mmCIF file of all heavy atoms in Angstrom:
data_model
loop_
_atom_site.group_PDB
_atom_site.id
_atom_site.type_symbol
_atom_site.label_atom_id
_atom_site.label_comp_id
_atom_site.label_asym_id
_atom_site.label_seq_id
_atom_site.Cartn_x
_atom_site.Cartn_y
_atom_site.Cartn_z
ATOM 1 N N LYS E 1358 12.064 61.820 -20.098
ATOM 2 C CA LYS E 1358 11.471 60.552 -19.556
ATOM 3 C C LYS E 1358 9.980 60.444 -19.906
ATOM 4 O O LYS E 1358 9.445 59.360 -19.894
ATOM 5 C CB LYS E 1358 11.700 60.471 -18.079
ATOM 6 C CG LYS E 1358 13.142 60.294 -17.667
ATOM 7 C CD LYS E 1358 13.295 60.174 -16.149
ATOM 8 C CE LYS E 1358 14.738 59.955 -15.774
ATOM 9 N NZ LYS E 1358 14.951 59.802 -14.306
ATOM 10 N N ASP E 1361 9.196 58.023 -22.640
ATOM 11 C CA ASP E 1361 9.577 56.613 -22.504
ATOM 12 C C ASP E 1361 8.311 55.790 -22.659
ATOM 13 O O ASP E 1361 7.598 55.527 -21.694
ATOM 14 C CB ASP E 1361 10.209 56.394 -21.127
ATOM 15 C CG ASP E 1361 10.547 54.894 -20.859
ATOM 16 O OD1 ASP E 1361 10.709 54.185 -21.862
ATOM 17 O OD2 ASP E 1361 10.631 54.521 -19.717
ATOM 18 N N SER E 1362 8.029 55.328 -23.869
ATOM 19 C CA SER E 1362 6.831 54.602 -24.210
ATOM 20 C C SER E 1362 7.114 53.604 -25.278
ATOM 21 O O SER E 1362 7.533 53.933 -26.384
ATOM 22 C CB SER E 1362 5.735 55.600 -24.657
ATOM 23 O OG SER E 1362 4.654 54.925 -25.283
ATOM 24 N N ASP E 1363 6.901 52.318 -24.962
ATOM 25 C CA ASP E 1363 7.124 51.267 -25.966
ATOM 26 C C ASP E 1363 6.147 51.372 -27.139
ATOM 27 O O ASP E 1363 6.561 51.183 -28.268
ATOM 28 C CB ASP E 1363 6.974 49.884 -25.278
ATOM 29 C CG ASP E 1363 8.124 49.589 -24.328
ATOM 30 O OD1 ASP E 1363 9.143 50.329 -24.454
ATOM 31 O OD2 ASP E 1363 8.012 48.669 -23.527
ATOM 32 N N ASP E 1366 7.501 53.990 -29.319
ATOM 33 C CA ASP E 1366 8.688 53.520 -29.988
ATOM 34 C C ASP E 1366 8.321 52.692 -31.253
ATOM 35 O O ASP E 1366 8.940 52.848 -32.283
ATOM 36 C CB ASP E 1366 9.467 52.631 -28.993
ATOM 37 C CG ASP E 1366 10.905 52.352 -29.491
ATOM 38 O OD1 ASP E 1366 11.311 52.964 -30.502
ATOM 39 O OD2 ASP E 1366 11.578 51.523 -28.880
ATOM 40 N N LYS E 1370 9.054 53.599 -35.203
ATOM 41 C CA LYS E 1370 9.857 52.683 -36.014
ATOM 42 C C LYS E 1370 9.201 52.408 -37.359
ATOM 43 O O LYS E 1370 9.902 52.186 -38.330
ATOM 44 C CB LYS E 1370 10.055 51.354 -35.242
ATOM 45 C CG LYS E 1370 11.166 51.446 -34.161
ATOM 46 C CD LYS E 1370 11.336 50.080 -33.490
ATOM 47 C CE LYS E 1370 12.470 50.173 -32.476
ATOM 48 N NZ LYS E 1370 12.642 48.892 -31.765
ATOM 49 N N LEU E 1376 13.491 56.447 -31.597
ATOM 50 C CA LEU E 1376 13.174 57.191 -30.407
ATOM 51 C C LEU E 1376 14.251 57.029 -29.334
ATOM 52 O O LEU E 1376 14.633 55.893 -29.066
ATOM 53 C CB LEU E 1376 11.813 56.732 -29.831
ATOM 54 C CG LEU E 1376 11.383 57.360 -28.525
ATOM 55 C CD1 LEU E 1376 11.137 58.851 -28.617
ATOM 56 C CD2 LEU E 1376 10.147 56.650 -27.969
ATOM 57 N N ALA E 1378 14.937 58.170 -25.462
ATOM 58 C CA ALA E 1378 14.453 58.790 -24.219
ATOM 59 C C ALA E 1378 14.860 57.960 -23.029
ATOM 60 O O ALA E 1378 14.763 56.764 -23.061
ATOM 61 C CB ALA E 1378 12.916 58.884 -24.286
ATOM 62 N N PRO E 1379 15.369 58.576 -21.984
ATOM 63 C CA PRO E 1379 15.754 57.856 -20.770
ATOM 64 C C PRO E 1379 14.590 57.162 -20.171
ATOM 65 O O PRO E 1379 13.422 57.674 -20.227
ATOM 66 C CB PRO E 1379 16.357 58.926 -19.870
ATOM 67 C CG PRO E 1379 15.783 60.197 -20.363
ATOM 68 C CD PRO E 1379 15.563 60.055 -21.819
ATOM 69 N N HIS E 1380 14.819 56.014 -19.562
ATOM 70 C CA HIS E 1380 13.694 55.250 -18.946
ATOM 71 C C HIS E 1380 13.222 55.916 -17.690
ATOM 72 O O HIS E 1380 13.967 56.535 -16.923
ATOM 73 C CB HIS E 1380 14.178 53.817 -18.639
ATOM 74 C CG HIS E 1380 14.396 52.991 -19.883
ATOM 75 N ND1 HIS E 1380 13.450 52.898 -20.901
ATOM 76 C CD2 HIS E 1380 15.441 52.220 -20.265
ATOM 77 C CE1 HIS E 1380 13.939 52.115 -21.844
ATOM 78 N NE2 HIS E 1380 15.144 51.678 -21.510
ATOM 79 N N LYS E 1381 11.949 55.729 -17.396
ATOM 80 C CA LYS E 1381 11.355 56.189 -16.161
ATOM 81 C C LYS E 1381 11.864 55.352 -15.007
ATOM 82 O O LYS E 1381 12.166 54.183 -15.156
ATOM 83 C CB LYS E 1381 9.825 56.152 -16.220
ATOM 84 C CG LYS E 1381 9.229 57.020 -17.318
ATOM 85 C CD LYS E 1381 7.733 56.802 -17.422
ATOM 86 C CE LYS E 1381 7.129 57.592 -18.558
ATOM 87 N NZ LYS E 1381 5.678 57.347 -18.742
ATOM 88 N N ALA E 1382 11.916 55.939 -13.821
ATOM 89 C CA ALA E 1382 12.387 55.268 -12.639
ATOM 90 C C ALA E 1382 11.479 54.077 -12.285
ATOM 91 O O ALA E 1382 11.962 53.050 -11.739
ATOM 92 C CB ALA E 1382 12.540 56.217 -11.469
ATOM 93 N N ASN E 1383 10.170 54.228 -12.570
ATOM 94 C CA ASN E 1383 9.270 53.178 -12.217
ATOM 95 C C ASN E 1383 8.918 52.229 -13.343
ATOM 96 O O ASN E 1383 7.957 51.493 -13.298
ATOM 97 C CB ASN E 1383 7.947 53.795 -11.685
ATOM 98 C CG ASN E 1383 7.284 54.682 -12.748
ATOM 99 O OD1 ASN E 1383 7.860 54.905 -13.791
ATOM 100 N ND2 ASN E 1383 6.028 55.119 -12.436
ATOM 101 N N ARG E 1384 9.756 52.195 -14.349
ATOM 102 C CA ARG E 1384 9.507 51.323 -15.516
ATOM 103 C C ARG E 1384 9.611 49.862 -15.114
ATOM 104 O O ARG E 1384 10.547 49.445 -14.410
ATOM 105 C CB ARG E 1384 10.570 51.599 -16.603
ATOM 106 C CG ARG E 1384 10.380 50.730 -17.839
ATOM 107 C CD ARG E 1384 11.500 50.995 -18.871
ATOM 108 N NE ARG E 1384 11.449 50.094 -19.979
ATOM 109 C CZ ARG E 1384 10.756 50.303 -21.111
ATOM 110 N NH1 ARG E 1384 10.083 51.415 -21.230
ATOM 111 N NH2 ARG E 1384 10.735 49.441 -22.100
ATOM 112 N N LYS E 1385 8.615 49.049 -15.485
ATOM 113 C CA LYS E 1385 8.549 47.638 -15.136
ATOM 114 C C LYS E 1385 9.017 46.733 -16.291
ATOM 115 O O LYS E 1385 9.475 45.624 -15.978
ATOM 116 C CB LYS E 1385 7.084 47.297 -14.704
ATOM 117 C CG LYS E 1385 6.642 48.042 -13.452
ATOM 118 C CD LYS E 1385 5.228 47.657 -13.059
ATOM 119 C CE LYS E 1385 4.749 48.419 -11.797
ATOM 120 N NZ LYS E 1385 3.367 48.072 -11.411
ATOM 121 N N ARG E 1386 8.864 47.160 -17.502
ATOM 122 C CA ARG E 1386 9.231 46.364 -18.646
ATOM 123 C C ARG E 1386 10.763 46.424 -18.802
ATOM 124 O O ARG E 1386 11.419 47.353 -18.365
ATOM 125 C CB ARG E 1386 8.544 46.860 -19.907
ATOM 126 C CG ARG E 1386 6.995 46.695 -19.854
ATOM 127 C CD ARG E 1386 6.377 47.090 -21.180
ATOM 128 N NE ARG E 1386 4.913 46.956 -21.135
ATOM 129 C CZ ARG E 1386 4.156 47.166 -22.139
ATOM 130 N NH1 ARG E 1386 4.663 47.619 -23.306
ATOM 131 N NH2 ARG E 1386 2.812 47.008 -22.040
ATOM 132 N N PRO E 1387 11.298 45.408 -19.529
ATOM 133 C CA PRO E 1387 12.773 45.422 -19.748
ATOM 134 C C PRO E 1387 13.267 46.699 -20.476
ATOM 135 O O PRO E 1387 12.515 47.250 -21.261
ATOM 136 C CB PRO E 1387 12.974 44.209 -20.691
ATOM 137 C CG PRO E 1387 11.798 43.285 -20.372
ATOM 138 C CD PRO E 1387 10.644 44.265 -20.073
ATOM 139 N N GLN E 1388 14.415 47.110 -20.149
ATOM 140 C CA GLN E 1388 14.962 48.345 -20.751
ATOM 141 C C GLN E 1388 15.243 48.122 -22.229
ATOM 142 O O GLN E 1388 15.639 47.022 -22.660
ATOM 143 C CB GLN E 1388 16.263 48.771 -20.028
ATOM 144 C CG GLN E 1388 16.051 49.151 -18.588
ATOM 145 C CD GLN E 1388 17.279 49.751 -18.000
ATOM 146 O OE1 GLN E 1388 18.369 49.840 -18.604
ATOM 147 N NE2 GLN E 1388 17.178 50.167 -16.712
ATOM 148 N N THR E 1389 15.037 49.141 -23.031
ATOM 149 C CA THR E 1389 15.218 49.071 -24.457
ATOM 150 C C THR E 1389 16.280 50.068 -24.980
ATOM 151 O O THR E 1389 16.701 49.986 -26.113
ATOM 152 C CB THR E 1389 13.922 49.337 -25.195
ATOM 153 O OG1 THR E 1389 13.429 50.644 -24.857
ATOM 154 C CG2 THR E 1389 12.853 48.310 -24.854
ATOM 155 N N GLN E 1390 16.685 51.011 -24.114
ATOM 156 C CA GLN E 1390 17.622 52.062 -24.534
ATOM 157 C C GLN E 1390 19.078 51.652 -24.270
ATOM 158 O O GLN E 1390 19.378 51.148 -23.199
ATOM 159 C CB GLN E 1390 17.306 53.387 -23.826
ATOM 160 C CG GLN E 1390 15.964 53.967 -24.190
ATOM 161 C CD GLN E 1390 15.934 54.572 -25.609
ATOM 162 O OE1 GLN E 1390 16.955 54.861 -26.202
ATOM 163 N NE2 GLN E 1390 14.735 54.659 -26.168
ATOM 164 N N ASP E 1391 19.893 51.925 -25.262
ATOM 165 C CA ASP E 1391 21.351 51.674 -25.173
ATOM 166 C C ASP E 1391 22.028 52.894 -24.518
ATOM 167 O O ASP E 1391 21.774 54.028 -24.910
ATOM 168 C CB ASP E 1391 21.922 51.442 -26.549
ATOM 169 C CG ASP E 1391 23.385 50.971 -26.517
ATOM 170 O OD1 ASP E 1391 24.195 51.671 -25.857
ATOM 171 O OD2 ASP E 1391 23.703 49.948 -27.106
ATOM 172 N N GLY E 1392 22.879 52.647 -23.548
ATOM 173 C CA GLY E 1392 23.527 53.748 -22.859
ATOM 174 C C GLY E 1392 24.353 54.624 -23.762
ATOM 175 O O GLY E 1392 24.471 55.845 -23.574
ATOM 176 N N ARG E 1393 24.953 54.045 -24.798
ATOM 177 C CA ARG E 1393 25.741 54.841 -25.745
ATOM 178 C C ARG E 1393 24.880 55.794 -26.576
ATOM 179 O O ARG E 1393 25.252 56.895 -26.805
ATOM 180 C CB ARG E 1393 26.509 53.894 -26.684
ATOM 181 C CG ARG E 1393 27.604 53.087 -26.000
ATOM 182 C CD ARG E 1393 28.111 52.002 -26.889
ATOM 183 N NE ARG E 1393 27.053 51.000 -27.241
ATOM 184 C CZ ARG E 1393 27.261 49.971 -28.030
ATOM 185 N NH1 ARG E 1393 28.474 49.779 -28.602
ATOM 186 N NH2 ARG E 1393 26.272 49.153 -28.285
ATOM 187 N N LEU E 1395 22.065 57.009 -25.555
ATOM 188 C CA LEU E 1395 21.498 58.037 -24.633
ATOM 189 C C LEU E 1395 22.448 59.243 -24.457
ATOM 190 O O LEU E 1395 22.006 60.191 -23.878
ATOM 191 C CB LEU E 1395 21.181 57.376 -23.287
ATOM 192 C CG LEU E 1395 19.858 56.602 -23.217
ATOM 193 C CD1 LEU E 1395 19.722 55.891 -21.899
ATOM 194 C CD2 LEU E 1395 18.668 57.530 -23.452
#
Side-chain angles (χ1 to χ4, degrees):
K1358 292 182 179 180
D1361 177 23
S1362 167
D1363 290 345
D1366 194 10
K1370 281 183 178 178
L1376 174 65
H1380 291 309
K1381 299 174 183 176
N1383 60 352
R1384 180 183 174 90
K1385 296 181 180 179
R1386 296 184 179 182
Q1388 296 187 0
T1389 59
Q1390 295 288 339
D1391 188 308
R1393 292 169 296 179
L1395 280 173

